[in-house]
Amino acid sequence: MRWLLAIVAMLLSASCSSGPTYQAGAAECDSNSRCHLTGRLEVFTGSYGSGAITTSKSCYDVALPKAILQDSGKWDGKSVTIVGEAISRPEMRNLMWYAVKDRRVDAGGCGTKAIYVEQIWVHRHH
């Protein structure tokens, strides 16, 4: 009986936490919303300094921090989780890149939205 009460107490405290909320799936990552995505990262080192994340549902362009671009071998091709703001790609002809805040994103990317990456971590496989 004690273990049941402990589980109920944990669930109640978790549901009342005041931490940030994220949109959990790629299909739910709307423009101007904060997103939490897991997928395979591609870093485009010879380009304008961006990349892409491919999830089980979709693909998004990513505006990566400079530290990720400078150490691209650690990140490219890895399973990662990112947190950041989703921004719609501008619809303009002959666009080579576009600015997302202080970063650049290749215009010929894989999705209709870019994620301005605020947090990123690699999944370690055992």
Side-chain angles (χ1 to χ4, degrees):
M1 185 67 169
R2 279 189 163 163
W3 62 270
L4 182 59
L5 289 174
I7 290 173
V8 170
M10 281 187 348
L11 291 173
L12 287 174
S13 67
S15 67
C16 295
S17 71
S18 61
T21 57
Y22 304 107
Q23 291 189 344
E28 301 172 17
C29 206
D30 298 325
S31 295
N32 301 316
S33 68
R34 193 162 164 81
C35 297
H36 184 249
L37 301 170
T38 298
R40 184 178 169 275
L41 180 68
E42 290 181 80
V43 180
F44 306 144
T45 56
S47 65
Y48 295 99
S50 62
I53 187 168
T54 304
T55 70
S56 62
K57 298 178 184 178
S58 191
C59 182
Y60 288 88
D61 299 323
V62 289
L64 295 166
K66 186 179 276 189
I68 303 299
L69 297 169
Q70 291 172 339
D71 195 12
S72 62
K74 175 184 173 188
W75 300 93
D76 189 44
K78 301 292 193 291
S79 174
V80 301
T81 295
I82 64 170
V83 176
E85 182 181 355
I87 292 113
S88 291
R89 181 191 308 168
E91 295 183 29
M92 298 174 64
R93 291 181 166 259
N94 302 320
L95 188 65
M96 304 268 303
W97 61 271
Y98 58 99
V100 177
K101 299 184 183 181
D102 61 336
R103 302 176 191 162
R104 290 182 175 184
V105 176
D106 289 319
C110 64
T112 59
K113 295 179 183 70
I115 309 297
Y116 183 89
V117 178
E118 297 165 2
Q119 297 175 341
I120 183 170
W121 57 94
V122 174
H123 293 268
R124 306 269 185 238
H125 297 285
H126 303 305

